[in-house]
Amino acid sequence: MSTDTKGYLDMDLLRFTTAGSVDDGKSTLIGRLLYDCKSIFEDQWEAVEQSSKQRGDENVNLALLTDGLRSEREQGITIDVAYRYFATPKRKFIIADTPGHIQYTRNMVTGASTANLAIILIDARNGVIEQTCRHSFIASLLQIQHIVVCVNKMDLVDWSEDQFNKVVSQYKEFASRLDVPHIDFIPISALLGDNVVDRSENMDWYKGSPLLYTLENVYIGNEHNHVDARFPVQWVIRPHSDEYHDFRGYAGRVAGGVFKQGDAVTVLPSGFQSKIKRVHDINGDLEEAFAPMSVALTLEDEIDISRGNMIVKQNNPPESSQQIEAMLVWFSSQSDLEERGRYTIRHTTNEVKCLMKEMKYKVDINTLHKVENDRKVKLNDIARVSLQTSAPIHFDRYRRNRVTGSFVLVDEQTNNTVAAGMIIS
Amino acid sequence: MSEHNNYQLTHLQQLEAESIFIMREVAAQFGKPALLFSGGKDSIVMVRLAQKAFWPAKLPFPLVHVDTGHNFNETIQFRDDLVKDVGGDLVVASVQEEIDAGRAKEESGLNPSRNRLQIPALLNVIEKNSYDACLGGARRDEEKARAKERFFSHRNSFGEWDPKNQRPELWNLFNGKMDFGEHFRIFPLSNWTEMDVWQYIKLEDISLPSIYFSHNREFVRRNSILLGKCEHITLLDDEKWESGKVRCRTVGDMTCTGMVESVANNIDDIIEEVAAARQTERGGRADDKRSETAMEDRKKEGYF
């Protein structure tokens, strides 16, 4: 960890997701990354050591580091997304660690929704299996730009280059159906540490970088849309003080593009036009604001603007429609998707009612095939749907902007979040 | 033209932007939010972030302090000065009053702590004032149960947390809908680590209560934890008061907040100490050592 403050302040942030089941070495890998980056403390280590012993585990069970809930520890399973943190002098990392079984698809989708990168673990002995495809498909569906495929347990296949190449070509054949621009392959042994932090001495045929170096250096400058200016208004700041008597600041987080003083803007849905008077935070005026900054804007004209409105640049509006086509992941174990059902849709800071007009087809998450004969959309299912909203929403396609292209559905009876959606058009 | 063209934020700027976003969501989605203020460094950082989120307006919520009556004097003085400085409202929920009214019972035994007694005081102040959202400074790196808690953490009408039935949180979409009588606990610092908090304190030049810095104090060693001398701690037969240079890594009830021997008397020295530390900051918290899932169990009942 960097102690030099200046260096620490220059670090950027990479969020990555891992998914996996008990046997594929995921916990071992995360444990090793944390341990080698000195992010596991003595008291944590002792506690895990002691718990492992009590449970009769032969080795220290690193899963106990992340499986914090009583029922997880009792059942020896991961049931939820666990967030883990570590840092090197170059980057801070947030791991969204999720279980890998199909019944935890919603957890994997949740973890992937904020990730810049996904690590996919493959057992070198088994090659690509159903779970590999599922995890990769979720990464692709959620538009994660980088996948790092770690071919693990190389020690059990005699560090064989042939075996590694076989797995790589198997994966590449499958991945041609995915929509992920960058895929790296690294042969590792999480257990022994080969190619995790340090270069393996057992595999000199591998010329690429070890995993940590890859995580530290992967380019993430294009994670946010800096082209289409989008500012969903979150809250209107009205101080009512003598000093700021007429102040009306529009607080929000830039969802795309760049906003500068003097920019000609339109407010949606009213269509009123104005110019940006100031972009500011507590320290004064900012030259510009871009995603994902939290700032406040003031406008030249006094117009009626409230939460849920969107400020955009005049020459580049988003799409506005009441008919939405989307991919939906169903999250509720209590109720299935209802065709003609009504839900509340939460999109950016806006909230409207919507009607589930049509379920077009389901997708088999293991094969990516369309399922046309099964119409029932239950927990963990993925479906293509059409929605009709009670008022226009202002969106970009999810592929173009993950913030303005995503939404969740809330059940009005239970208040639960029942689905997550990615807008196609 | 702008001098930079890569539009990158540092990790601290990203964490700050995320926390400010959460605070504004709370103001927008709830009718009567409150900020739980302990006087510790995390809640002091929370106040700073709230000032940033709503400037030039005042904070749209009061600071609520659950007062165990076992405080370090320095913390209370600091609290009152900060409230004056921010121009906010302070609401104090007193554990002593809960005990006096018979709604809470003082622990007996060796290490009597009022930590758990904060639960009735907290739930009471929430109910009395009809708070529907309580902002807290807890972080996911602190404790393994917290590693699984949401930013928006739902509580039923008894204040209980149900870890197996949490609402999924995707992208930056947070669902704060609830039924009457329920409320939310909200944790804007979820993704911060102890190191991030210290670096931010340095970057923003935030002042802290003096007990975070090295000072002379009498203390007793108990189960490898150093506890500061105060009227609420009774020595056992083989124990004795020692004195030396110590400081706090976290701030809570005096009976369970362990100190570390340290000569670090400025932020830079503390940052170096944090970087070299081989124990988590809660490693010195006697309240977490009671069982493997002590935190989860307290949280289920309504703890912070």
Side-chain angles (χ1 to χ4, degrees):
Chain A
M1 186 174 287
S2 172
T3 60
D4 155 35
T5 300
K6 204 149 175 286
Y8 195 87
L9 296 180
D10 279 341
M11 285 159 61
D12 60 9
L13 177 64
L14 179 82
R15 298 174 195 248
F16 68 91
T17 175
T18 56
S21 54
V22 188
D23 307 321
D24 60 12
K26 180 194 63 162
S27 296
T28 314
L29 179 66
I30 292 178
R32 182 155 286 283
L33 280 172
L34 296 176
Y35 196 77
D36 287 353
C37 294
K38 300 191 171 41
S39 294
I40 295 177
F41 293 98
E42 273 170 11
D43 51 328
Q44 285 176 312
W45 184 254
E46 279 164 19
V48 169
E49 227 172 8
Q50 203 183 347
S51 304
S52 307
K53 216 178 280 172
Q54 264 173 17
R55 300 157 49 99
D57 294 339
E58 201 172 302
N59 295 310
V60 173
N61 184 348
L62 286 161
L64 293 173
L65 271 174
T66 46
D67 293 345
L69 301 175
R70 181 182 286 274
S71 44
E72 291 178 319
R73 296 169 89 84
E74 281 168 2
Q75 297 169 47
I77 52 159
T78 310
I79 58 172
D80 208 330
V81 187
Y83 294 91
R84 279 270 155 205
Y85 306 85
F86 71 101
T88 69
K90 222 172 155 153
R91 265 187 185 159
K92 169 174 166 139
F93 298 94
I94 300 180
I95 312 174
D97 181 21
T98 62
H101 287 124
I102 193 153
Q103 69 263 38
Y104 300 113
T105 299
R106 69 168 169 176
N107 307 78
M108 289 184 256
V109 168
T110 301
S113 75
T114 50
N116 314 117
L117 180 146
I119 292 182
I120 306 277
L121 273 166
I122 301 179
D123 187 323
R125 297 168 301 176
N126 306 332
V128 173
I129 57 172
E130 193 179 274
Q131 182 164 282
T132 319
C133 304
R134 189 160 66 235
H135 298 167
S136 305
F137 177 53
I138 288 172
S140 168
L141 182 71
L142 274 288
Q143 287 286 305
I144 293 179
Q145 300 291 300
H146 308 266
I147 286 181
V148 177
V149 177
C150 291
V151 182
N152 191 24
K153 306 193 183 181
M154 289 299 293
D155 50 317
L156 300 183
V157 294
D158 258 344
W159 314 106
S160 157
E161 183 177 8
D162 283 350
Q163 185 61 22
F164 174 71
N165 288 338
K166 215 172 97 190
V167 176
V168 170
S169 57
Q170 224 183 0
Y171 187 88
K172 278 185 172 161
E173 193 195 319
F174 152 77
S176 61
R177 286 178 284 162
L178 298 177
D179 184 19
V180 178
H182 308 284
I183 304 179
D184 290 311
F185 298 89
I186 308 177
I188 68 167
S189 165
L191 187 68
L192 303 176
D194 288 69
N195 282 337
V196 178
V197 173
D198 298 314
R199 178 170 291 282
S200 168
E201 287 171 9
N202 295 307
M203 294 179 278
D204 50 11
W205 47 263
Y206 172 70
K207 303 297 177 210
S209 313
L211 175 61
L212 185 64
Y213 183 90
T214 306
L215 294 175
E216 279 184 310
N217 290 284
V218 65
Y219 179 67
I220 47 173
N222 53 359
E223 289 296 312
H224 295 278
N225 175 319
H226 294 305
V227 178
D228 313 306
R230 308 282 183 258
F231 189 82
V233 176
Q234 221 187 335
W235 172 256
V236 182
I237 300 175
R238 303 213 58 185
H240 299 294
S241 62
D242 292 342
E243 194 185 346
Y244 294 98
H245 190 72
D246 294 322
F247 185 95
R248 280 179 76 92
Y250 304 106
R253 198 171 184 191
V254 180
V258 183
F259 288 90
K260 288 191 179 80
Q261 188 180 22
D263 281 346
V265 293
T266 302
V267 181
L268 298 171
S270 68
F272 286 128
Q273 304 200 327
S274 186
K275 277 197 165 112
I276 294 181
K277 191 169 161 189
R278 289 174 61 193
V279 179
H280 64 79
D281 67 9
I282 198 167
N283 299 318
D285 286 11
L286 296 170
E287 195 187 327
E288 59 189 358
F290 51 87
M293 289 168 73
S294 283
V295 297
L297 306 179
T298 47
L299 300 184
E300 293 285 359
D301 306 282
E302 231 175 81
I303 41 185
D304 183 24
I305 300 176
S306 53
R307 174 176 168 87
N309 292 173
M310 192 183 277
I311 298 174
V312 304
K313 285 210 190 144
Q314 276 174 17
N315 55 6
N316 179 5
E319 293 180 56
S320 295
S321 173
Q322 285 179 253
Q323 308 294 332
I324 310 295
E325 295 284 312
M327 292 304 286
L328 207 63
V329 185
W330 198 254
F331 278 179
S332 173
S333 55
Q334 285 149 6
S335 57
D336 299 344
L337 177 148
E338 260 181 72
E339 260 183 295
R340 309 302 297 172
R342 278 161 213 280
Y343 302 92
T344 298
I345 178 170
R346 186 179 280 274
H347 169 255
T348 67
T349 58
N350 194 15
E351 194 181 285
V352 295
K353 306 273 184 225
C354 75
L355 173 75
M356 185 68 60
K357 259 179 70 185
E358 191 191 354
M359 198 288 283
K360 300 204 157 152
Y361 56 84
K362 292 210 299 184
V363 177
D364 182 319
I365 192 168
N366 297 322
T367 60
L368 310 197
H369 293 149
K370 283 185 195 176
V371 181
E372 317 241 18
N373 49 3
D374 177 5
R375 307 286 307 162
K376 215 168 161 61
V377 178
K378 323 181 280 300
L379 174 66
N380 295 318
D381 282 345
I382 295 174
R384 166 92 185 243
V385 298
S386 324
L387 299 169
Q388 181 173 353
T389 59
S390 60
I393 64 167
H394 314 289
F395 64 90
D396 297 285
R397 282 170 297 126
Y398 184 77
R399 277 193 58 123
R400 190 158 176 92
N401 190 323
R402 281 171 99 178
V403 182
T404 55
S406 56
F407 63 85
V408 293
L409 296 185
V410 176
D411 181 306
E412 292 173 26
Q413 262 73 53
T414 62
N415 296 325
N416 283 327
T417 305
V418 292
M422 287 142 281
I423 300 174
I424 296 165
S425 65
Chain B
M1 276 305 285
S2 149
E3 71 251 44
H4 64 91
N5 49 16
N6 63 341
Y7 300 123
Q8 283 288 297
L9 296 181
T10 67
H11 85 288
L12 275 181
Q13 288 170 328
Q14 291 191 52
L15 291 175
E16 182 192 59
E18 177 178 85
S19 302
I20 289 174
F21 177 82
I22 300 284
M23 293 215 175
R24 287 168 169 173
E25 278 303 289
V26 170
Q29 288 196 35
F30 296 93
K32 209 172 173 202
L35 191 156
L36 300 177
F37 183 80
S38 71
K41 65 178 191 313
D42 302 305
S43 60
I44 293 168
V45 164
M46 289 273 287
V47 172
R48 177 73 183 152
L49 291 165
Q51 284 180 291
K52 288 195 167 197
F54 302 105
W55 182 89
K58 284 191 195 167
L59 307 195
F61 33 70
L63 307 188
V64 172
H65 181 219
V66 178
D67 182 357
T68 62
H70 290 177
N71 298 293
F72 294 94
N73 290 333
E74 297 89 334
T75 325
I76 298 297
Q77 185 58 47
F78 187 91
R79 175 195 79 187
D80 294 343
D81 292 346
L82 184 73
V83 169
K84 211 180 291 169
D85 191 43
V86 173
D89 299 319
L90 175 71
V91 175
V92 177
S94 160
V95 170
Q96 188 62 52
E97 275 174 30
E98 295 298 311
I99 294 171
D100 295 346
R103 288 188 294 263
K105 191 163 166 286
E106 193 95 68
E107 281 190 355
S108 56
L110 243 189
N111 236 357
S113 163
R114 287 189 166 179
N115 195 295
R116 207 187 181 98
L117 301 188
Q118 294 178 94
I119 298 174
L122 175 63
L123 294 180
N124 240 331
V125 75
I126 290 171
E127 195 179 327
K128 212 164 70 192
N129 294 284
S130 321
Y131 295 135
D132 51 3
C134 294
L135 288 150
R139 310 187 316 266
R140 285 176 180 151
D141 80 323
E142 275 180 83
E143 209 284 331
K144 54 192 178 298
R146 285 193 165 151
K148 306 232 159 162
E149 191 160 13
R150 304 289 187 259
F151 279 90
F152 274 40
S153 185
H154 181 259
R155 293 293 187 278
N156 66 15
S157 53
F158 298 95
E160 295 167 326
W161 180 51
D162 181 1
K164 282 203 272 190
N165 199 15
Q166 301 191 81
R167 291 181 185 172
E169 284 178 349
L170 297 99
W171 302 291
N172 53 3
L173 295 167
F174 297 94
N175 171 8
K177 287 186 187 295
M178 66 192 149
D179 282 333
F180 184 76
E182 301 176 339
H183 73 274
F184 274 82
R185 302 287 171 81
I186 316 251
F187 303 107
L189 302 184
S190 290
N191 279 331
W192 297 53
T193 61
E194 185 186 13
M195 182 56 116
D196 296 329
V197 170
W198 281 110
Q199 294 284 354
Y200 190 73
I201 287 168
K202 181 181 162 67
L203 182 70
E204 292 282 315
D205 198 16
I206 294 171
S207 41
L208 292 179
S210 54
I211 50 173
Y212 276 110
F213 301 98
S214 176
H215 59 281
N216 283 311
R217 187 181 290 270
E218 285 189 86
F219 58 83
V220 58
R221 289 172 204 271
R222 184 174 287 171
N223 302 332
S224 70
I225 291 171
L226 310 189
L227 297 170
K229 183 174 180 178
C230 66
E231 53 184 319
H232 316 294
I233 294 175
T234 323
L235 287 188
L236 303 178
D237 287 346
D238 55 343
E239 290 178 344
K240 59 176 194 310
W241 295 117
E242 297 173 51
S243 74
K245 289 210 173 291
V246 294
R247 65 175 205 87
C248 295
R249 275 181 86 184
T250 68
V251 170
D253 188 303
M254 280 197 84
T255 56
C256 67
T257 302
M259 310 199 140
V260 290
E261 286 175 282
S262 166
V263 292
N265 59 9
N266 60 59
I267 302 280
D268 284 323
D269 288 355
I270 290 176
I271 287 172
E272 220 161 282
E273 207 178 273
V274 170
R278 299 311 302 141
Q279 292 268 325
T280 57
E281 60 184 325
R282 293 192 77 91
R285 290 289 285 253
D287 46 334
D288 289 345
K289 293 220 160 169
R290 293 188 169 187
S291 87
E292 218 183 28
T293 52
M295 173 70 90
E296 182 185 349
D297 296 343
R298 271 178 292 150
K299 285 182 86 70
K300 280 181 182 164
E301 289 175 34
Y303 190 70
F304 301 107

